[in-house]
Amino acid sequence: MSRHHHHHHAAAAAIAAVFFLLTAPPCAADPNDERCLSHLHQSLYDPSGGLNWTKAAISAPCDGFFSHLQGVTCNNGRVYKLALPELSLGGTIPPELSNCTNLQSLDLSANALSGAIPTELSALLNLAVLNLSANALSGAIPRELASCAYLNVIDLHGNQLSGPIPDELGLLVRLSTFDVSYNRLSGPIPVLLANRTGAGSTAAVGTARFNASSFVGNKGLYGYPLPPLRKRGLSVLAIVGIGLGSGLLSLVLSFSAVCLWLRATDRTAATPGEEGKISQLMPDY
């Protein structure tokens, strides 16, 4: 009897727990999401006032699938997407964005953000879309982004990013859009990002994974699929030209020196004394 009573209690407790779990998430905000969004709000400068985020909404951004914040999409009580494009936002991207651990899409494009891309974004293991294009971001592209194995889109075009494109990004097998055009990048394009995919019947043999449009507008960037740089070509031609020119010049100089020497020896041969020698050699009649 007591055992049955115990089971009844356990069942009631389980039902209560399930009920609590079903009702709790909308009430209690995820502390990570709250930290992520509050730091983002602090890091952003909003001169146009286009971002109407309130402290109350930031402290509880998600209500199940409903979001209290502009630009935030919620999924089961967690921040799922963050899209704040074209709001004239200044400031920087805070490393604390890594606290939005369920984030699948981050779009901060077409603003006036400066500073570096935080390496901490590599902690966003569910991230599929990263669009930070058309800002004023500087520094290097973090090689740590290769940790985000689900990345489909990396769009960083139209910034002031410098240094090389990390080779590791070529290991992102799901990457279907990659754009780093119009930055200040330098060095060789990673082979894995430019490789010609011959595999599969759908892929045309000899087509690049990403074409030249992904890489144009970076003065120091070279290698396939970019066309050979005209400036580099000129510099090679110039080097060859200088080499040929100096060779030609030394040839001309040595040739003219030989000519002068010959002319000088001609003159000495034409002196009367020499003529006498020649006439002495002539037979007497």
Side-chain angles (χ1 to χ4, degrees):
M1 184 73 182
S2 60
R3 190 180 289 175
H4 176 74
H5 190 67
H6 177 72
H7 274 298
H8 181 71
H9 267 291
I15 290 165
V18 168
F19 183 73
F20 176 75
L21 283 171
L22 285 173
T23 55
C27 311
D30 187 280
N32 283 327
D33 284 352
E34 187 188 342
R35 185 159 186 253
C36 158
L37 297 174
S38 63
H39 275 92
L40 178 62
H41 193 235
Q42 287 162 26
S43 297
L44 296 177
Y45 170 60
D46 180 21
S48 67
L51 188 64
N52 51 359
W53 281 15
T54 62
K55 277 205 167 139
I58 290 168
S59 65
C62 290
D63 193 346
F65 289 86
F66 176 77
S67 164
H68 294 285
L69 287 175
Q70 166 201 351
V72 171
T73 305
C74 295
N75 183 13
N76 211 14
R78 292 298 309 274
V79 174
Y80 180 66
K81 289 180 180 177
L82 193 50
L84 301 170
E86 298 178 50
L87 290 170
S88 307
L89 299 170
T92 58
I93 302 169
E96 288 84 2
L97 262 185
S98 59
N99 286 286
C100 281
T101 50
N102 274 27
L103 199 64
Q104 201 174 66
S105 177
L106 177 62
D107 180 0
L108 301 173
S109 61
N111 284 296
L113 300 174
S114 57
I117 299 170
T119 55
E120 287 83 356
L121 294 186
S122 61
L124 298 171
L125 298 180
N126 298 309
L127 199 64
V129 175
L130 178 64
N131 186 353
L132 305 174
S133 62
N135 278 291
L137 299 170
S138 57
I141 298 171
R143 57 185 67 249
E144 291 85 352
L145 288 176
S147 304
C148 306
Y150 294 108
L151 273 171
N152 289 309
V153 175
I154 295 179
D155 190 349
L156 305 173
H157 83 266
N159 280 289
Q160 292 159 27
L161 299 167
S162 57
I165 299 171
D167 285 319
E168 291 89 337
L169 298 186
L171 302 171
L172 291 166
V173 290
R174 293 167 186 250
L175 209 55
S176 58
T177 300
F178 182 74
D179 193 348
V180 292
S181 59
Y182 301 100
N183 277 285
R184 295 170 183 177
L185 299 168
S186 58
I189 292 171
V191 176
L192 287 173
L193 288 174
N195 65 347
R196 299 162 196 253
T197 51
S201 53
T202 50
V205 177
T207 58
R209 190 173 166 194
F210 301 106
N211 62 25
S213 66
S214 292
F215 306 102
V216 295
N218 292 282
K219 278 184 182 172
L221 214 54
Y222 59 90
Y224 184 82
L226 285 180
L229 282 181
R230 197 172 288 171
K231 272 191 177 173
R232 286 178 78 83
L234 269 177
S235 66
V236 169
L237 273 177
I239 290 162
V240 170
I242 289 162
L244 282 174
S246 59
L248 200 65
L249 187 67
S250 58
L251 266 175
V252 167
L253 284 172
S254 56
F255 184 70
S256 50
V258 166
C259 284
L260 285 168
W261 180 74
L262 280 172
R263 204 174 284 168
T265 51
D266 273 358
R267 277 210 193 104
T268 53
T271 54
E274 296 293 318
E275 270 175 16
K277 268 185 196 165
I278 290 165
S279 60
Q280 280 167 15
L281 292 173
M282 303 288 276
D284 289 322
Y285 291 107

